[in-house]
Amino acid sequence: MRSALSEQQFPQYPAPVAIQPAPAPEHAHHPWLQHHFDNMEQQAEASTLGMWVFLSTEILFFGGLFMAYLVYRHASPEGFQEASHELNRFWGTTNTLVLICSSLTMALAVRAAQTGQSRKTQVGWLLGTMVFGVGFLGIKAIEYYDKFVHHHVPGPYFHWEGMYPKPAEQFYSLYFAMTGLHALHMIIGLGIMAVIAVMAWRGIFDEEYYTPVEVAGLYWHFVDIVWIFLFPLLYLIGGHFKG
Amino acid sequence: MDTTATPTLNYLNNGHGLKSWLLTRDHKRIALLYLWSVTAFFFLGGFFALMIRLELLTPASDLVQPDTYNKLFTMHGIVMVFFFLIPSIPATLGNFLIPIMIGAKDLAFPRINLLSWYIYILGGLFTITAALTGGVDTGWTFYAPYSTTASNSNVILAGLGIFITGFSSILTGLNFIVTVHRMRAPGLTWFRLPLFVWSHYATSLIMILGTPVIAITVLLVAVERGLHLGIFDPALGGDPVLFQHLFWFYSHPAVYIMILPAMGVVSELVQAFARKNIFGYAFVAFSSLAIAIIGFLVWGHHLFVSGQSTYAGLVFSIISMFVAIPSAVKVFNWTATLYKGSVSWDSPMLYAFGFIGLFTIGGLTGLFLATLGMDIHMHDTYFIIAHFHYVMVGGAIFGFLGGLHYWWPKITGRMYPEGWAKFACLNIFIGFNLTFGPQFIVGYLGMPRRYAMYAPEFQVWNVLSTAGATILGIGYLIPMVYFTWSIFKGEIASANPWGARGLEWEIPSPPPTENFLVTPIVTHGTHQYAPSHEVGIV
Ligand code: HEM
Ligand SMILES: [Cu+2]
């Protein structure tokens, strides 16, 4: 069956596009250039933009929790304040410092790849980042254990000696949801670091190709920043240090 | 047309066997994987719909128990919304066409593209398991505290299914955004992009900004059910209205995930079959973005009767009317394009006409609902059901089928039987209006949704509706048959059977694996049906 739209019936205007050969790429084909990209710049830009877009989804992912936090904090400020006093500010502060250090080593790892430093240096900084990451999770585990022992984990065994048991339980619901999700991101980040470290060890990265380190770095800094928001919201607001 | 074309190497015959499909990174093959799976889900959802309509043939609950009925409409909603309407056009036509339309060899992240299909299937398996092991009875909206405490059905499993599928949607959106930003051929500026690409760009923005919120929301429902966290359940100190806010913050924009791609398809069809440049290109392009942005501000119109403050209701009511403006802009621009065009009535165009009519009805009734007082009368009646089926089924499915017919020769290299296609389109149109038209009336008269039983005076409308659904169901089966037939027996299609414009029509049908052997250089708008100086497009 022939379409009603034949060329005779409707005269064609000049072709809408000129298909001409694109200028030959100046650089020789880089071994890590994927076939569907024209050049290394395009590939690097795509990966970086991809990570930024992904991180914007992450912001909204955590955003739902922040929203819930704001709503309930607004509904019972005293209860939340009372509940947050039971968090261990010492460990919280320590963990903040640990994460900031890990971001520093991460930045140095990216720089090491960008400036084509030896693979030992690259792997060194990456391992440093991982050590801090594991340290963070270790401290988190100590804190969780502490909550468990004191029956501050929401659910049937929740126990609260204070004026506001309901809001306190809610606070801890949000505390576990938010820090749990954050910890999950740390664990995924450690996995990514391990892969990147292996790649670095194989000497893949140099001045021309370092996008994976850079992109992994963006992710790591993001997870760090989420904590920078969680820490004051959960540990610090309305607080007074117990004497 | 040349039926003796020698077989050349293309994406279909370049590699055979299951493995070459299941491990492919070619956006065109992934599009076909999606096409098969969304079709399967469509018929699964259709089966549930059929059961619902059969039960409603009589006022009593005689076919299934009310409990089973609850599970039927829930599964129908979940499958249709999350597994058909949301992925249908973007994941099939979008995946197939966007790289070609912008002169790229593939999407920016081919591996992520394949991954998103696997995630989709995994989510689907969870949901099907939930259905087979007892089902879910909360409605597709999972309202708390019913979903968190009262319901004793498979809420967690179904929620996980949606949670997982959400990531597939996020990854698709991410891939499209990066591709449109970074992979355009030299010379293809933003204002030379086909409108199909613009509408997918806007859709992708909604996907990446909205989906994470529903993901966290169903996750919270799941942990609340499983671990007794007190987020939504009032008995645990939570707030069920917060659930509704979070849910609709995604799900209202999500309705535009379903409709914007269809609008993109219609923009292409109207131009191709009226042989005219779209009237007001920039308006149509920007209206997609406007819909995407305003769509995020109106979720509260689903909460008019939830006890939110009157002021909030008023504000949401007014903003909801704003979102109708960019939608109307599109309808006016299509109409203006058709005006005095030499329109040809090929089957894709019939679908486009159907789309415009049905979407207009659906959109106008949306305005009724956005009016506070009206909505209090009509909330949770069949009027709502009719409204959203007109936009989602009438809109999204007509767009999908129209696009599928239009690009079928490009995708498969074969033509389909035009007479049958016209017949099927007519069949669907009549069946559709007979199914959902009476629901406006019976809803206005007060028949509530989500009950297996109803007052006897509503029966006549329900019988009409069920009759319509039968016609509609048959209408959907016909394209299945002739499309399958055409793959084997259809006439060989030329590169450009419609004499249409756009980069996709400049390459052979079916396209070669790499789409373009050399990257094209674009010198002016890709969709010009008239010389550029006449229409003022650069
Ligand atoms: C033209 C602008 C639109 C306006 C002003 C509008 C307005 C509304 C309002 C106020 C409601 C809530 C009714 C109630 O629950 O009482 C509603 C429900 C709904 N609308 Fe729209 N709508 C519009 C377009 C659309 C489109 C384009 C779609 C889908 C593609 C859509 C899908 C839905 C769905 C799915 C529901 C009901 C959800 C449920 O309760 O299960 N709407 N609409
Ligand atoms: Cu809405």
Side-chain angles (χ1 to χ4, degrees), chain A residues 29-34 37 40 43 199 203-206 209:
Chain A
H29 202 280
H30 192 279
W32 293 100
L33 179 65
Q34 287 169 286
F37 288 112
M40 292 301 279
Q43 174 168 304
M199 287 167 85
I204 287 173
F205 305 124
D206 55 22
Y209 181 67

Side-chain angles (χ1 to χ4, degrees), chain B residues 27 31 88-99 107 176 196 200:
Chain B
H27 66 104
S88 62
I89 300 183
T92 59
L93 298 175
N95 242 335
F96 195 96
L97 292 163
I98 287 176
L107 288 173
F176 285 175
F196 181 86
H200 273 80

Side-chain angles (χ1 to χ4, degrees), chain A residues 1-5 7 10 12-23 34-38 42 45-47 49-50 53-54 56-57 60-61 64-65 67-68 71-72 154-156 166 169-170 173-174 177 181, chain B residues 1 106-111 170 174 178 181-183 208-209 212 215-216 220 229-231 235-239 242 273 275 342 344 346 418-419 491 497-499 501 503 506 514 519 521-522 524-526 529-531:
Chain A
M1 222 152 291
R2 187 171 282 266
S3 151
L5 301 171
E7 304 281 312
F10 299 102
Q12 288 281 308
Y13 291 101
V17 283
I19 297 207
Q20 304 158 355
Q34 287 169 286
H35 85 285
H36 62 293
F37 288 112
D38 287 336
Q42 192 188 30
E45 282 173 357
S47 308
L49 180 64
V53 175
F54 174 71
S56 70
T57 73
L60 281 137
F61 195 56
L65 289 171
M67 174 83 195
V71 168
Y72 293 132
K166 264 271 144 69
E169 185 169 5
Q170 228 161 29
S173 290
L174 287 164
L181 193 64
Chain B
M1 236 165 274
D106 207 321
L107 288 173
F109 308 115
R111 250 179 295 210
I170 291 175
L174 185 150
V178 175
H181 271 274
R182 294 287 182 234
M183 310 283 285
I208 61 158
L209 296 179
I216 194 71
L220 285 175
L229 299 196
I231 311 268
L236 300 172
D239 183 356
L242 179 69
F273 292 94
R275 317 238 87 217
S342 26
S344 51
D346 296 82
E418 175 67 15
E491 190 184 346
W498 313 111
R501 288 301 166 79
L503 282 180
E506 310 260 331
E514 296 240 302
T519 308
I521 296 183
V522 180
H524 40 111
T526 55
Y529 289 91

